[in-house]
Each structure stands twice: as structure tokens, then as C-alpha cells.
Amino acid sequence: MALRHPIYDADSELIRDQIRRFIASEIEPYGEAWEEEGAFPRELYRKAGDAGLLGLGFEEEYGGSGGGLLYYCLAREEFAASGFSGVRVGLMAHGIGLPPILKLGSEALRQEIAPAVLAGDKIICLAISEPDAGSDVASIRTTARRDGDSYIVNGAKCFISNGVRADYMTVAVRTGGPGMAGVSLLVIPGDAPGVSRTAMKKVGWWTSDTAEIAFADVRVPAANLLGAENAGFRGIMNNFNLERLGIAASLIGISRCAYDETVRYAHERKTFGKALAEHQVVRHKLVDMRAGIEALQAMMDTLIWRVQQGEACIAEIAMLKAFGGEIQEKVAAEAAQIFGGAGMIRGHKVERIFRESKILSIGGGSAEVMKDLASRQLGW
Ligand SMILES: Cc1cc2nc3c(=O)[nH]c(=O)nc-3n(C[C@H](O)[C@H](O)[C@H](O)COP(=O)(O)OP(=O)(O)OC[C@H]3O[C@@H](n4cnc5c(N)ncnc54)[C@H](O)[C@@H]3O)c2cc1C
């Protein structure tokens, strides 16, 4: 086996193997059927929680399995490599919903929510995007008005992963004036009166629920505020950095899956008397796919190491997220091309990966917005 970056050690490889075994026994046999049904069973959260997999990257004192950023990314890479992105997104959405609570919430809130989520007993989501505010987070309109010991929330969110099933929602709200200085983060229980949720049908990730959420005079305890009032924007931005590294890891896993499937198929499928892989043009495509994946992996591993050393690497993470999306889209397109007609037929990984290949160039900060952010961070 090829050597890995020195951030990985024997323990991380054991965890990688553990995730692969979990996928082989708990996801692989059912994943295609779940895709067609449009959901996976809620008990999968508990199984992943029992195996300690939801806790990867989270502090042990709150029920996590430890391992920091490295295990956080490793979990996302390996679940993505299963080729079942809907399951990965559903299982791993706590990776964006929970960190703001652990970083900014009261101790009581952390103790109430984190162990239950990491055990797989409760589900959480992060709700930032709105019908009129996606890339431009500072223009969100959902309001939270202080009323005694509560906030009264009104507004709407959209495209929220796990939004239908979530027991807890980490929500960006406007508590002050316009712009980023009026934004706060608030935890809203999924069953609070006045919350209504509707599933959105989408191009892919069918097993992951994606919700439109409406808030109509929802009363939320003021103790559910994360950090200081009107200081939520910074927390959201810090959380985006973590999310984007996790997305990069997922992009690597998805690309690896498409590449492995395609290498296998190119050796089986024969045209003009020989295997596809014996045609030089096809070999070049496979090498280009592999080169992109190697480049992404090297960039991500180095960035994990730099963040572990205390660097913020905001520009670099934004560039990795945008570049990762481009590589993954190319890998998915070439994989589908090499599969030919079979790549257009439902029921296997390459068709699904191709169909879903745009999502991560949009979600979590679009490619254009990432490049804009990187250019500003680079000082020009
Ligand atoms: C499947 C899925 C799951 C999601 N899950 C979540 C979730 O769990 N929680 C959550 O809060 N959000 C979630 N999102 C929302 C996602 O983060 C947004 O879709 C994304 O931030 C883009 O916002 P938008 O869709 O409103 O596009 P817009 O902001 O309207 O942008 C539309 C297009 O214009 C481009 N654009 C915008 N501004 C500029 C500019 N200044 N310069 C150049 N181009 C620009 C964008 O790049 C994009 O291509 C999810 C989205 C999807 C599709």
C-alpha cells in the first residue's frame, strides 16, 4: 500500500478500516434500495453512534470519539467513498449543526444536545440558507425578537439537510439591524409549535432529507442563543471553514469511488476486440482522474496539518473547496463517459455520482463565492 501523509498513523488506519467495515455491512447491501425509497432508516444513526462513528472528530467529554479535524475529515472521506452521498450527508450533517453549539453554547445546552446527537438518538441540522439569501449570508431575513426570557422567531429557511427529521436546528436569525452585525445563532427544537417543514425533491442525494422550514411565531428560550446576541456571523464563518474541509474530504471520497468503479469497468468492458483500458485514450482519462484525486488529497492533507498547527488557512480552504468541486465534476463526467450507456442507467454508483456531481460545487459555498473569498483573503 502507498504511504500516506504523516498526519495519518496506525490508529487512523484502524478507524478507516472500521468505517469501511460498517459501510460494507450496514450500507452497501441496502443503499440502492434506500436511494429509490428516498430515505434511510432512522436506526442507522444509532448504529453509527454505537460504533463511535458519529463521534469522530468530536470531544470525548461530550460523547465524541476524539481525533479532532483529522478524524472529522477521515469520516467524511470514507463515507463518501461508499458512493452513497445521500446516506453520508444524512448521517454526517451533525458535523455542521453541532460545532456551533459546542463552541458557543452554554454548558447546559452542550450537555443536553451533543451526547444525544453523537449517540445517534437525536438528529441535528444547520439552517442558514433562505429563499432570498444563500451565498449572501449577511442578508438573511428570518427574525428573532426578544420577548422576556424568549425569542419569537419568524421567517423561512430552505435547502436544509436533515431539516425534516431534525430534533434540533442550529439556525441563523436576525436579532439586530441589517448586515452581518445583526445576525445571531439560535438553537430551535424541531417540535416547537410554529415550526413547519416540507421535504424538497432534488437531483440527487435522495436518501438525505432536504427541507424548506417555516417559522411562524416560534417561541424559543433565550438560553438557546449561541454566543452573544448579534455576534453570530463570525461563528457561522468559522463553521463554514470546518464544513468546507469536510466537503473537500467528501469530494475526494466521491472521486475515489468513481475512479475505482471506472478502472474496474474499463478492464471488464471490451470494444474493438480489447478491454477499454487497453485503448490509450481511455488510459489517459483514467490517469487524469487519478492525478486530480492525488492532487486534492495532497492539498487537503497538508491543510489539515496546517490547521492542526494553528493556522486559519481561510483562502487555502476556499481554494481547495472550489478546486475539489471542479476535479470531482470532471472525474464524474469522465467516469460516466467511460461507462457509456451503462453510465446513464439508474442503479449503480457512477450514474448516481454523475447525476449528483454539481451539488457540492454549490452547497456549502459555491465555487464562485469560494474564489471571491480566496481572492479577498489573499489581499487583492
Ligand atoms: C442539496 C443541498 C443541501 C444543502 N444543505 C444546506 C444546509 O444543510 N444548510 C444550509 O444552510 N444550506 C444548505 N444548502 C444551501 C447551499 O449552501 C446554498 O445553495 C449555497 O450557499 C448557494 O446559495 P443559493 O442556492 O441561494 O445560490 P445564490 O446565492 O442565489 O447563487 C446563485 C448562483 O450565483 C452565483 N453567485 C452568487 N453570488 C455571486 C457573486 N458575488 N459573484 C459571482 N457569482 C455569484 C453562485 O455561485 C451561484 O452559482 C444546501 C444546498 C443544496 C443544493
Side-chain angles (χ1 to χ4, degrees):
M1 196 184 77
L3 289 176
R4 290 189 188 277
H5 190 284
I7 54 171
Y8 300 102
D9 60 14
D11 286 345
S12 62
E13 295 317 289
L14 284 176
I15 285 168
R16 197 185 291 280
D17 284 346
Q18 191 200 351
I19 301 172
R20 289 179 179 177
R21 284 198 307 276
F22 182 87
I23 290 167
S25 64
E26 302 297 340
I27 298 176
E28 198 70 54
Y30 320 107
E32 293 292 350
W34 291 341
E35 271 296 312
E36 294 299 326
E37 287 162 20
F40 63 85
R42 193 174 164 125
E43 68 169 326
L44 191 66
Y45 288 95
R46 189 143 325 135
K47 286 183 179 174
D50 286 347
L53 302 182
L54 298 183
L56 290 170
F58 289 90
E59 296 91 328
E60 286 156 7
E61 60 183 307
Y62 296 107
S65 310
L69 183 61
L70 181 66
Y71 286 10
Y72 180 94
C73 289
L74 198 147
R76 279 141 191 87
E77 182 186 330
E78 286 307 322
F79 274 105
S82 71
F84 292 107
S85 286
V87 178
R88 167 183 56 80
V89 172
L91 275 184
M92 295 280 131
H94 68 289
I96 53 176
L98 193 54
I101 295 173
L102 290 172
K103 287 205 171 62
L104 304 167
S106 67
E107 187 57 24
L109 215 51
R110 290 181 210 170
Q111 292 293 356
E112 175 196 334
I113 297 174
V117 167
L118 298 178
D121 292 333
K122 299 285 183 189
I123 297 173
I124 192 166
C125 69
L126 177 73
I128 309 287
S129 305
E130 300 187 353
D132 295 315
S135 306
D136 184 8
V137 173
S139 70
I140 59 150
R141 291 199 210 160
T142 297
T143 55
R145 179 177 51 81
R146 186 74 189 239
D147 179 37
D149 287 343
S150 306
Y151 284 98
I152 309 293
V153 180
N154 281 286
K157 298 287 171 183
C158 66
F159 310 137
I160 307 306
S161 302
N162 272 2
V164 175
R165 298 208 259 198
D167 301 291
Y168 299 102
M169 304 182 284
T170 301
V171 184
V173 290
R174 183 160 301 286
T175 42
M180 60 182 83
V183 174
S184 299
L185 281 168
L186 190 64
V187 177
I188 303 182
D191 60 1
V195 172
S196 53
R197 306 183 271 186
T198 315
M200 304 175 92
K201 286 198 167 182
K202 54 194 184 298
V203 67
W205 294 7
W206 292 339
T207 54
S208 148
D209 89 58
T210 304
E212 269 180 298
I213 307 174
F215 303 104
D217 288 331
V218 179
R219 185 170 284 276
V220 182
N224 285 16
L225 189 71
L226 303 179
E229 197 175 82
N230 297 328
F233 196 78
R234 184 183 255 291
I236 294 171
M237 291 302 129
N238 288 338
N239 201 45
F240 274 150
N241 271 340
L242 177 68
E243 174 177 9
R244 288 165 190 162
L245 261 178
I247 289 177
S250 304
L251 289 164
I252 292 169
I254 297 164
S255 304
R256 238 177 56 205
C257 177
Y259 168 82
D260 288 344
E261 290 284 309
T262 309
V263 168
R264 181 186 52 71
Y265 185 77
H267 284 85
E268 284 169 16
R269 177 74 177 172
K270 290 200 167 46
T271 63
F272 301 99
K274 55 185 177 181
L276 281 177
E278 290 174 55
H279 297 291
Q280 192 180 37
V281 168
V282 174
R283 286 208 306 277
H284 285 192
K285 286 175 191 260
L286 293 172
V287 168
D288 286 345
M289 290 161 80
R290 178 66 179 253
I293 298 166
E294 296 276 346
L296 277 185
Q297 186 86 56
M299 197 170 167
M300 181 186 75
D301 292 349
T302 300
L303 275 179
I304 291 174
W305 177 77
R306 286 174 64 182
V307 173
Q308 284 174 338
Q309 308 311 305
E311 271 193 80
C313 295
I314 296 169
E316 290 81 358
I317 291 171
M319 289 189 284
L320 174 66
K321 203 265 176 191
F323 178 56
E326 285 169 16
I327 294 290
Q328 182 249 199
E329 283 187 45
K330 279 188 198 151
V331 167
E334 287 295 29
Q337 187 73 19
I338 292 172
F339 266 73
M344 303 294 114
I345 302 301
R346 287 250 286 277
H348 64 88
K349 294 183 178 183
V350 163
E351 179 273 336
R352 190 168 54 253
I353 289 172
F354 174 61
R355 175 160 43 79
E356 295 173 339
S357 63
K358 262 280 161 212
I359 301 180
L360 285 177
S361 292
I362 295 171
S366 69
E368 292 80 3
V369 168
M370 289 301 89
K371 289 179 186 179
D372 235 34
L373 171 63
S375 71
R376 277 182 275 116
Q377 288 287 322
L378 292 169
W380 40 268

